[in-house]
Amino acid sequence: MHFIWDGLKQAADLLAHGDHDVLTVVGTTLRLALISTLLALALGLPLGLALGLGRFRGRRAMLALANAGMGLPPVVVGLVVGLLLFRGAPLGDLNLLYTFNGIVLAQTLLALPLVAALSAAAMQALPGGLLEQARAFGASRAQVATLALREARVGVLAATIAALGSALAEVGAIVLVGGNIEGQTQTLASAVLVQVSAGEYGRAIALGSILLGLILILAAGLTVAQQHERRALLGRPS
């Protein structure tokens, strides 16, 4: 198992010496994760509010679809998005295939059900009388939605962690839509795949170690924020 230790040492050397290729891949990975997560939150939180608090025909079916979407095979999503982006396809004129914006689109679609389903579950877990009391005091829909998001912020942070983790670890959709182009659409996860295919196991372990480190750092930061908010909610007078 000495090659694992060698890979860890190589990871430290790559970061310490500022390896250009590695820094480029890390930058692409972080940009993809942050942009796709923000887009998924912008689209998924309103949807989660509607599914968690709304009362309209088809809500249960949409909620079931959102829950099912959390288990979507990324490679299938990548295949469908890739086919839609080919020249002559419905979205071919957007010229997003094998581009950074294309992988952002694919990853946003993967993260969207996570945000929608988890935020909807957080909304449904709110005390039943809380929002009714706000409505009774004349709160508008926007004010009720803001109150719900604030009170369900622990669950919203959980959705954020899930979306961010999905983006950092994704491979299948990135390769199919982005082409895994070095310096443009290659992420840490897809770079590991390339190194393994080339038999460069030491460098693969090094890149994998860097990826795991990023996931741990970002997830730990969000978890600390989540638990801080949870303690604030538990310690608040009722």
Side-chain angles (χ1 to χ4, degrees):
M1 300 295 287
H2 67 278
F3 61 88
I4 295 179
W5 176 245
D6 290 340
L8 293 174
K9 290 193 294 184
Q10 188 175 352
D13 290 338
L14 290 172
L15 290 175
H17 294 91
D19 185 272
H20 178 267
D21 293 338
V22 171
L23 294 179
T24 299
V25 174
V26 170
T28 301
T29 303
L30 289 175
R31 284 170 56 217
L32 171 64
L34 294 175
I35 295 173
S36 63
T37 298
L38 288 175
L39 289 174
L41 288 171
L43 298 171
L45 288 180
L47 184 57
L49 278 167
L51 294 176
L53 303 179
R55 296 292 182 269
F56 54 88
R57 183 173 298 178
R59 183 184 68 88
R60 289 185 178 179
M62 291 180 64
L63 188 57
L65 286 175
N67 287 329
M70 292 194 293
L72 278 177
V75 68
V76 175
V77 174
L79 175 62
V80 172
V81 173
L83 291 175
L84 290 174
L85 294 177
F86 272 122
R87 293 281 179 88
L91 301 179
D93 291 339
L94 297 176
N95 295 319
L96 292 178
L97 192 63
Y98 304 141
T99 67
F100 178 77
N101 289 336
I103 61 175
V104 168
L105 171 62
Q107 182 54 45
T108 300
L109 292 176
L110 284 170
L112 181 58
L114 294 172
V115 175
L118 292 176
S119 59
M123 301 304 158
Q124 291 177 326
L126 291 175
L130 176 66
L131 301 182
E132 293 301 326
Q133 186 178 18
R135 294 188 183 99
F137 279 106
S140 64
R141 286 187 178 182
Q143 291 172 324
V144 171
T146 301
L147 174 63
L149 285 173
R150 187 176 71 231
E151 295 300 315
R153 57 188 180 273
V154 173
V156 170
L157 280 170
T160 305
I161 293 171
L164 194 62
S166 170
L168 290 170
E170 180 50 42
V171 177
I174 301 304
V175 172
L176 288 173
V177 176
N180 203 18
I181 302 171
E182 187 174 348
Q184 297 182 41
T185 61
Q186 189 176 83
T187 63
L188 280 168
S190 62
V192 170
L193 181 64
V194 170
Q195 297 302 321
V196 170
S197 300
E200 297 288 342
Y201 295 106
R203 193 172 179 87
I205 292 173
L207 293 173
S209 301
I210 295 170
L211 175 59
L212 287 175
L214 282 178
I215 292 173
L216 288 174
I217 291 171
L218 293 174
L222 287 171
T223 301
V224 168
Q226 181 191 46
Q227 294 307 304
H228 173 76
E229 294 298 336
R230 182 175 182 272
R231 286 194 297 269
L233 288 173
L234 292 175
R236 185 178 58 189
S238 58

